[in-house]
Amino acid sequence: MGFSQILFSWTAIIPVIVLLYYFFRKKYTDQTVSSTLFWSEIMQETRVSPYLKHLQKNALLYLQLLALILLVLALMNPYVKKSTIAGAQTIFIVDTSATMLAGKEQSTFDTHKKEMLSLVNQLDGRPVTLITTGNTPKAILQQETNTKVIEKAIQELQVTYETDQMNKALDVAQAFVGDTPTSIYVFTDALDKKHLPMEKDTVKWLVKGSAKDLTNIAITRFAATTDGQSTMALVQLQNDTDREQKVTLSLQTVKGNEITTESVTLPPNEAVTKTFKDLPLENTLTAKITANDDYVVDNSQTVLLQTATSKVVVDQSMHQLIQKGFQTINSGVKIVPSLQVADNQDATVVTNQTALLEKMDKPIVLFGRDDVKKVEATGEVTITSDALFAFSELKDIYISAVYPGFDGYKTIASVGDQPFIQRSPEGDIVILADIADTDWPLHPSFPLFLWSAEQQLSESIGSLGIFAPNEQRAVALAQGDWSVYSQDDEFLSSITNGLLTAPIKPGIYTARSNNEEKRFIVQLQAQERVIEKGTSYTLGELQDNGKEEISKTSLVPWLILIILVLLVLEWEVQRRRGFTN
């Protein structure tokens, strides 16, 4: 504490004058009393509470002296020193990845939010830029000076479960620095010093990490397969602590019913793999562990059994553009001689051999036909609402000849009045034309159509696969209004133009239209199943050797408020005694 107007200290003589006045004033008057009968009783009451009587008698003096002393202090302009953030501006980089939910009494994320709110009081009018991490870093605030707006933005921050992608966030922060002296606070769990860009001398880095004693036991891998009669599952558990840990591992259905439970002992800093066989058939399995650790998000993991993809085999007799198209989409595509295509019962087959429609167990893609002759085609290509055309509308395609269509198959695209693309009751996709008779490969819709066909036949029709939190991906869906719902049937978002943005929380979700639905899983990425040792440090210097700057907060407004209260009390004391006395 200090005084900025010490010259006004001479005014301390004012309360001294008032005090001297009270010393020399007349304290009593002569009074004739007719009787002293009550004198002893009055003196007894005075002796019992002398201090109270003295205070009652001299209350006005004390109030006046206190008010004058405070007035003298106000004239001297007292202040208190308060540290403020160094630099002309401040940038907050906030890690919103899933690992920020780790913590003991409270999560690292909540701890950082409280620290940010306390730093707001030290801004002293400096502008703040608030950046959150993720695959696409976002500048929540840009050069904001309003304290209430800053505090509201901090309180509304949420964990997005995405990997932090800290390098991207640091690049965004650099764009706001320029040549302005800047303090950049990085609120994360752990960040290596070598990742910080130190090219500029106008930046001071303050990294706020998590606690160093956090423990974690995680499900690092969970897979399940089925042979149509039973299910086999594999679970890998990782103990990242220095002590042996005992956990309870359970496999559950989508409704939460336990299929099997087992106690597992995990050695320190080691991984243990458990295999389960002859489990009942389920479309969805969830593995959960009950463990005493500081990070519970990675204690469960879910798989859809029908999302396993099969290999793709292309008949060697197919046009080169078809072969190259599928190989571009899927690097694992195999080109097989025509006589050996029928031997690949476990693969998705692309061929023109009509006989394989009956021989293959799985649906196939039939490009052309080898059992009939093609006929001339005229007219424009028209399509129906089908998932195959979610990204390929087949506009302005020229087709000179087509093969006759199959009776009983659903026509989903036509050339004039003739069928062009059909779908069999078993799910086969039939293109009734040779590539040489069309200019389709010259259009962007051709590779998109091949991708949609491969997606539909290689994966189960009932699922969309596995997504990372907040991942945006194109999905092959029939035309219509599609929406995303949670397990509790709560509407979350809409799918626009075939682009599905996954929810941020891991779990099972459903994409639903009027008469169809497909499930998908949102799953933590591998990086978010590992807790790193927390790191906090400061790098770089600004003016004043990088130390925090000091601001002066005046106490005059508070002193004036107290003086006004004292004046009101003086008035009340005088009123009770009577203004004429």
Side-chain angles (χ1 to χ4, degrees):
M1 180 175 174
F3 299 91
S4 62
Q5 299 292 338
I6 195 67
L7 292 177
F8 283 96
S9 58
W10 66 268
T11 57
I13 195 175
I14 297 176
V16 175
I17 294 174
V18 174
L19 187 62
L20 291 175
Y21 165 76
Y22 270 88
F23 282 156
F24 292 101
R25 72 172 184 166
K26 188 177 181 180
K27 296 182 174 57
Y28 63 89
T29 57
D30 294 333
Q31 182 70 41
T32 303
V33 181
S34 60
S35 175
T36 60
L37 293 177
F38 303 104
W39 182 258
S40 59
E41 183 178 351
I42 293 174
M43 292 301 297
Q44 184 177 2
E45 291 180 0
T46 304
R47 293 190 186 99
V48 171
S49 55
Y51 298 107
L52 180 61
K53 291 293 183 181
H54 180 78
L55 181 62
Q56 291 175 343
K57 184 177 180 181
N58 299 286
L60 192 60
L61 168 65
Y62 294 137
L63 290 173
Q64 290 175 346
L65 285 176
L66 182 57
L68 287 172
I69 291 172
L70 292 178
L71 181 61
V72 171
L73 291 176
L75 290 173
M76 296 169 64
N77 191 21
Y79 61 84
V80 293
K81 296 180 180 180
K82 185 176 71 172
S83 61
T84 60
I85 298 174
Q89 66 171 337
T90 303
I91 297 177
F92 290 159
I93 301 177
V94 184
D95 186 348
T96 58
S97 61
T99 52
M100 297 297 291
L101 293 174
K104 294 187 179 295
E105 296 181 358
Q106 67 178 0
S107 67
T108 303
F109 191 73
D110 289 336
T111 302
H112 286 341
K113 287 176 67 173
K114 290 182 178 180
E115 190 168 356
M116 281 185 281
L117 290 173
S118 66
L119 288 172
V120 171
N121 297 324
Q122 303 179 23
L123 291 173
D124 197 28
R126 291 173 173 81
V128 171
T129 299
L130 177 60
I131 301 170
T132 57
T133 64
N135 188 49
T136 305
K138 297 179 180 178
I140 306 298
L141 297 176
Q142 297 184 27
Q143 302 292 312
E144 182 60 58
T145 57
N146 190 316
T147 302
K148 292 187 179 297
V149 174
I150 298 172
E151 290 177 345
K152 182 181 178 182
I154 293 173
Q155 291 169 351
E156 292 177 351
L157 289 174
Q158 292 183 345
V159 171
T160 61
Y161 295 85
E162 295 183 64
T163 55
D164 53 40
Q165 302 283 339
M166 186 59 72
N167 290 335
K168 295 182 179 179
L170 294 176
D171 290 340
V172 173
Q174 288 288 88
F176 287 97
V177 173
D179 296 327
T180 305
T182 306
S183 289
I184 301 181
Y185 287 79
V186 183
F187 296 94
T188 183
D189 47 3
L191 179 62
D192 196 324
K193 295 180 181 180
K194 65 182 181 182
H195 292 154
L196 294 178
M198 301 298 296
E199 296 84 4
K200 295 185 178 181
D201 298 331
T202 57
V203 176
K204 180 179 181 181
W205 296 93
L206 302 99
V207 177
K208 307 293 183 178
S210 63
K212 297 182 179 180
D213 57 347
L214 298 180
T215 60
N216 184 39
I217 302 169
I219 299 177
T220 55
R221 182 177 298 176
F222 180 38
T225 60
T226 179
D227 58 2
Q229 298 179 349
S230 63
T231 302
M232 182 178 74
L234 180 145
V235 185
Q236 185 180 72
L237 308 178
Q238 176 70 39
N239 179 12
D240 288 333
T241 69
D242 296 327
R243 297 181 180 180
E244 182 180 88
Q245 300 285 345
K246 292 184 178 180
V247 301
T248 301
L249 171 63
S250 64
L251 299 183
Q252 301 177 1
T253 64
V254 67
K255 295 182 180 180
N257 300 323
E258 285 191 357
I259 298 175
T260 183
T261 303
E262 183 177 335
S263 296
V264 183
T265 300
L266 303 175
N269 298 306
E270 288 190 18
V272 173
T273 301
K274 303 295 295 184
T275 302
F276 299 89
K277 297 181 179 180
D278 300 324
L279 299 175
L281 285 174
E282 294 288 343
N283 292 332
T284 306
L285 281 182
T286 299
K288 290 186 177 182
I289 57 172
T290 303
N292 184 21
D293 65 351
D294 300 320
Y295 184 45
V296 299
V297 179
D298 61 357
N299 289 355
S300 65
Q301 192 168 338
T302 303
V303 295
L304 293 174
L305 270 68
Q306 67 267 37
T307 57
T309 59
S310 64
K311 60 182 180 180
V312 178
V313 171
V314 179
D315 193 328
Q316 195 174 36
S317 64
M318 288 287 93
H319 196 281
Q320 285 289 323
L321 291 174
I322 298 176
Q323 296 179 19
K324 296 297 182 181
F326 277 105
Q327 286 179 330
T328 301
I329 295 167
N330 187 340
S331 60
V333 170
K334 294 183 179 180
I335 310 300
V336 177
S338 300
L339 297 178
Q340 299 178 14
V341 172
D343 298 333
N344 295 274
Q345 291 291 336
D346 60 339
T348 297
V349 171
V350 181
T351 184
N352 66 341
Q353 301 180 49
T354 307
L356 294 183
L357 290 170
E358 303 294 335
K359 293 181 180 180
M360 303 302 292
D361 295 333
K362 297 185 65 175
I364 69 173
V365 178
L366 192 70
F367 257 102
R369 297 180 62 173
D370 62 353
D371 59 336
V372 294
K373 294 182 179 181
K374 52 192 171 186
V375 296
E376 185 180 353
T378 57
E380 295 182 355
V381 176
T382 58
I383 61 174
T384 62
S385 176
D386 191 274
L388 277 175
F389 309 125
F391 306 102
S392 52
E393 299 182 359
L394 310 189
K395 289 183 177 179
D396 302 325
I397 294 176
Y398 171 75
I399 300 174
S400 61
V402 294
Y403 293 97
F406 290 89
D407 295 334
Y409 285 18
K410 181 182 178 181
T411 299
I412 57 177
S414 304
V415 180
D417 297 331
Q418 298 169 285
F420 173 42
I421 302 176
Q422 293 183 309
R423 191 191 292 278
S424 74
E426 290 77 21
D428 304 289
I429 298 174
V430 179
I431 298 92
L432 299 168
D434 292 327
I435 291 299
D437 296 326
T438 76
D439 65 350
W440 195 7
L442 302 178
H443 295 265
S445 62
F446 182 69
L448 292 173
F449 176 84
L450 298 183
W451 174 81
S452 297
E454 191 266 345
Q455 288 285 307
Q456 287 206 11
L457 298 186
S458 296
E459 295 185 353
S460 171
I461 298 298
S463 72
L464 296 176
I466 299 175
F467 289 73
N470 214 29
E471 177 186 358
Q472 190 177 69
R473 186 194 303 172
V475 291
L477 295 172
Q479 295 180 2
D481 296 329
W482 287 83
S483 302
V484 176
Y485 293 85
S486 68
Q487 281 292 97
D488 299 328
D489 208 31
E490 177 186 0
F491 171 79
L492 299 178
S493 62
S494 298
I495 301 176
T496 306
N497 298 326
L499 290 178
L500 189 155
T501 301
I504 61 174
K505 291 186 177 181
I508 306 173
Y509 297 89
T510 303
R512 186 183 303 161
S513 66
N514 294 331
N515 52 11
E516 188 178 1
E517 65 178 36
K518 296 174 182 285
R519 289 187 299 172
F520 64 94
I521 289 177
V522 176
Q523 195 173 96
L524 279 183
Q525 294 176 282
Q527 303 95 310
E528 298 305 306
R529 297 183 178 275
V530 178
I531 297 294
E532 298 184 29
K533 188 176 181 180
T535 54
S536 298
Y537 53 87
T538 300
L539 288 178
E541 293 184 355
L542 297 178
Q543 296 178 355
D544 298 330
N545 296 321
K547 297 180 180 179
E548 290 184 324
E549 298 178 359
I550 302 301
S551 67
K552 298 177 181 180
T553 301
S554 176
L555 297 178
V556 171
W558 294 102
L559 292 176
I560 293 176
L561 179 62
I562 297 174
I563 291 173
L564 291 176
V565 173
L566 292 176
L567 290 176
V568 173
L569 291 176
E570 288 180 21
W571 180 86
E572 177 62 19
V573 170
Q574 191 68 35
R575 186 188 66 82
R576 287 175 180 268
R577 292 181 178 181
F579 290 104
T580 57
N581 293 332

